[in-house]
Amino acid sequence: MASTLLAETPRGGFSFENCCRNQFFEQKGIKAPTAYKTGTTIVGLVYKDGVVLGADTRATEDTVVADKNCSKIHYISDNIYCCGAGTAADTEMTTQMISSQLELHRLNTGRTPRVCTANRLLKQMLFRYQGHISAALVLGGVDSTGPHLYSVYPHGSTDKLPYVTMGSGSLAAMAVFERGFKPNMEKEEAKKLVRDAIAAGIFNDLGSGSNVDVCVITKDKVDYIRPFDEANLKGQRQGSYRYKKGTTAVLKTEVKKIPFEVVKKTVRAEPMETV
Amino acid sequence: MDPMLNEESSYAPKQTYFSPYAMNGGTCLAIAGEDFVVVGSDTRLSQGFSIFTRDLPKTYKLTTSTVLGACGFHGDVLTLTKVLNARLKMFEHEHHKKMTTSEIAAMLSTMLYHRRFFPYYVYNLIAGLDEEGKGVVYSFDPVGSYGSDGYRARGSAAAMLQPLLDNQIGLKNQQNVQRVSLSKEKVVNLVKDVFISAAERDIYTGDAVVVHVITKDGTTTERFPLRRD
């Protein structure tokens, strides 16, 4: 029929049009472009009144820093936040997708969403894609049943723990946690421990760097502190690198008069001022 | 062809690959002036995503007027400098005088080419004063090809630094600029700024920079900190 006149509403989900072509390229030896990964150190811990999430702010493309101050703590709902490690696009899109699904669920049920619901939605989606969505997440929040913290792996497995770390700097961060964690810590203690764990990742892991972001979630409010600690400042520049006018040679100068019509003239009396 | 069907190969014996080389990161650069040379390198030694040490400069003093900058695989750097120093001593004993910069450069080239079929995985820079006291920089590839330049960056952040040096020292892509001879202080400041920029974007460059300034009166060394993340 005349389907060219009727625009088709785009179907949701992934489009696999390029798969055949990409496989052909790989056989020919043409490498696929690398995705932006977030080298990363992300952590979460449960303390007396809630959950503290922490993350570094460096995004790398192989060995080059692509973004010095990216935000890795994503909003899922008012009481649930999620840190993401792995391919940046995957963590961004996955958390947005689950956030939107949770919002619809909240409107449907009329209740504040639970962290275990977000966990279920995430793991079911990631398992469906068999690990091809490279998103390793630290999910934390406070709901009617209390504070909860989960770590979600790219293949879809999850762990429910009092303290977790993910990303390339997870070993450095976990070393700090294992030394310093106690159940039912105070807020300032918990924030400091999270900051120390992320700092361990920032300084000892080359995939993580720049600043520490912290998100404190309690029953009543969320404190999104970005940056919590600017651990690395750029050095002071010694010289000036401004270019003089003419450094890019001017080949031709043309001055054109813009023709315009006078539409209205207003004459207004203004008192003379003698100051 | 369903790509999933090929997954059966996960049960087949895997071939592990042993590589005799490793990439230890790091950046060095050298800039030649009228009567001086400035050589700088960062001090970070790393592999993969880990740091081995924050305090290993990649510059090695060969004689009072020549400095070697070497980055790449640290194992080969150590052996190369050991052999180079031995050869320098042998030359001195035989000829009763120190090797000049251009002689060292020529010798390094033959040493590297000698290992043409199992190379030293090292990117070298020889910087020093020539017989007339003018600054000169030689840069090498891993198998010994070399040439003299006025300035050169080598190592993991070389691709980021070289265009900046081309613009600021070689005055490339600038019209209507006067070629002024650069003073020592301006060059050292430029080296500092250039390393600050490299440390921002290259994960293998950071921790500290060591800068040597070689003049006929000797070599002064300066060290200043960089980002440690």
Side-chain angles (χ1 to χ4, degrees):
Chain A
M1 263 248 44
S3 54
T4 44
L5 294 173
L6 249 177
E8 264 188 48
T9 48
R11 294 181 57 197
F14 290 111
S15 153
F16 295 95
E17 293 171 351
N18 284 336
C19 280
C20 284
R21 178 203 76 162
N22 289 349
Q23 234 192 342
F24 173 72
F25 278 165
E26 256 185 69
Q27 282 168 12
K28 289 286 172 186
I30 301 172
K31 270 178 66 186
T34 49
Y36 221 83
K37 282 180 93 88
T38 57
T40 308
T41 309
I42 48 173
V43 305
L45 75 72
V46 177
Y47 77 106
K48 194 175 73 165
D49 304 319
V51 166
V52 183
L53 299 174
D56 75 306
T57 60
R58 173 183 282 183
T60 53
E61 256 170 33
D62 285 337
T63 61
V64 179
V65 176
D67 192 344
K68 293 187 269 187
N69 196 199
C70 74
S71 168
K72 299 188 192 177
I73 307 185
H74 309 283
Y75 169 89
I76 301 275
S77 75
D78 285 339
N79 59 323
I80 305 174
Y81 278 75
C82 184
C83 310
T87 306
D90 287 343
T91 57
E92 191 69 45
M93 289 295 149
T94 306
T95 48
Q96 280 178 359
M97 181 112 72
I98 265 64
S99 169
S100 119
Q101 286 177 10
L102 254 193
E103 174 67 8
L104 291 171
H105 186 260
R106 180 184 75 81
L107 291 165
N108 230 323
T109 58
R111 297 184 173 109
T112 327
R114 296 195 186 183
V115 188
C116 59
T117 316
N119 181 49
R120 233 3 129 102
L121 291 169
L122 282 168
K123 68 152 64 181
Q124 283 175 352
M125 179 185 163
L126 291 174
F127 183 75
R128 201 170 355 126
Y129 287 97
Q130 288 293 299
H132 290 288
I133 296 186
S134 173
L137 311 164
V138 167
L139 174 72
V142 181
D143 56 32
S144 55
T145 49
H148 300 283
L149 181 69
Y150 293 88
S151 62
V152 185
Y153 293 84
H155 285 264
S157 65
T158 61
D159 289 316
K160 185 177 190 319
L161 293 162
Y163 57 98
V164 289
T165 64
M166 298 287 259
S168 59
S170 61
L171 271 65
M174 187 50 94
V176 174
F177 267 1
E178 288 291 10
R179 188 170 193 309
F181 180 81
K182 324 192 278 287
N184 293 322
M185 283 194 284
E186 293 299 325
K187 182 160 102 148
E188 290 308 313
E189 237 187 308
K191 276 159 76 174
K192 181 171 187 312
L193 185 62
V194 162
R195 184 246 155 234
D196 288 344
I198 299 290
I202 285 175
F203 291 111
N204 299 103
D205 174 44
L206 295 175
S208 317
S210 295
N211 314 322
V212 182
D213 287 350
V214 159
C215 184
V216 185
I217 311 172
T218 47
K219 189 159 60 81
D220 313 307
K221 69 177 172 89
V222 170
D223 229 344
Y224 193 124
I225 313 167
R226 177 176 150 80
F228 178 70
D229 182 14
E230 277 196 73
N232 291 284
L233 293 165
K234 186 169 179 179
Q236 283 285 30
R237 205 176 295 150
Q238 309 277 333
S240 165
Y241 299 94
R242 296 198 65 156
Y243 294 115
K244 286 204 272 292
K245 270 180 97 161
T247 304
T248 303
V250 178
L251 295 174
K252 194 167 74 159
T253 315
E254 227 179 277
V255 180
K256 273 198 170 126
K257 213 163 142 61
I258 304 172
F260 57 86
E261 277 177 36
V262 178
V263 176
K264 192 163 87 160
K265 253 194 200 167
T266 323
V267 179
R268 200 176 54 196
E270 242 183 77
M272 273 209 308
E273 281 180 40
T274 47
V275 172
Chain B
M1 230 335 233
D2 187 353
M4 293 299 279
L5 288 176
N6 293 331
E7 292 301 320
E8 297 166 303
S9 55
S10 57
Y11 299 124
K14 276 203 179 71
Q15 183 184 37
T16 48
Y17 179 64
F18 166 73
S19 167
Y21 296 117
M23 247 303 278
N24 292 120
T27 312
C28 52
L29 64 72
I31 300 173
E34 271 297 310
D35 57 350
F36 66 91
V37 187
V38 176
V39 187
S41 82
D42 75 324
T43 60
R44 174 179 284 176
L45 192 73
S46 44
Q47 189 173 347
F49 277 127
S50 314
I51 299 179
F52 284 157
T53 177
R54 297 192 196 270
D55 189 12
L56 190 86
K58 290 165 194 65
T59 50
Y60 301 88
K61 282 211 189 79
L62 297 176
T63 68
T64 49
S65 60
T66 320
V67 166
L68 167 79
C71 13
F73 170 42
H74 191 59
D76 278 348
V77 169
L78 290 174
T79 308
L80 186 63
T81 45
K82 199 188 291 186
V83 176
L84 204 48
N85 280 315
R87 292 284 296 267
L88 283 172
K89 280 211 182 82
M90 283 158 60
F91 182 95
E92 242 182 282
H93 291 153
E94 225 183 296
H95 298 95
H96 303 290
K97 64 181 170 90
K98 291 223 183 311
M99 276 183 99
T100 65
T101 307
S102 54
E103 288 167 346
I104 298 178
M107 182 176 78
L108 180 59
S109 170
T110 53
M111 278 171 61
L112 292 170
Y113 196 75
H114 207 63
R115 292 274 301 246
R116 170 67 179 84
F117 298 113
F118 186 2
Y120 287 112
Y121 185 1
V122 188
Y123 291 92
N124 289 295
L125 280 173
I126 295 265
L129 303 172
D130 65 6
E131 288 92 333
E132 294 153 25
K134 292 209 339 244
V136 69
V137 169
Y138 295 98
S139 66
F140 295 75
D141 79 345
V143 281
S145 157
Y146 80 112
S148 82
D149 303 298
Y151 54 87
R152 176 68 70 177
R154 242 73 184 91
S156 56
M160 296 184 200
L161 303 183
Q162 190 67 32
L164 183 50
L165 296 179
D166 282 336
N167 180 262
Q168 293 294 317
I169 307 212
L171 301 175
K172 301 270 167 70
N173 297 114
Q174 287 189 66
Q175 285 104 1
N176 306 323
V177 270
Q178 241 65 338
R179 178 165 279 280
V180 290
S181 88
L182 294 156
S183 69
K184 272 199 290 286
E185 291 72 31
K186 282 200 88 173
V187 174
V188 171
N189 282 339
L190 179 68
V191 169
K192 286 183 186 171
D193 288 343
V194 133
F195 268 103
I196 287 172
S197 304
E200 291 286 303
R201 294 290 178 173
D202 181 30
I203 63 177
Y204 293 121
T205 305
D207 294 332
V209 187
V210 166
V211 182
H212 301 281
V213 182
I214 309 165
T215 52
K216 62 173 179 9
D217 304 317
T219 313
T220 51
T221 308
E222 221 188 299
R223 197 197 165 95
F224 64 95
L226 284 178
R227 283 172 81 115
R228 291 160 67 92
D229 64 353

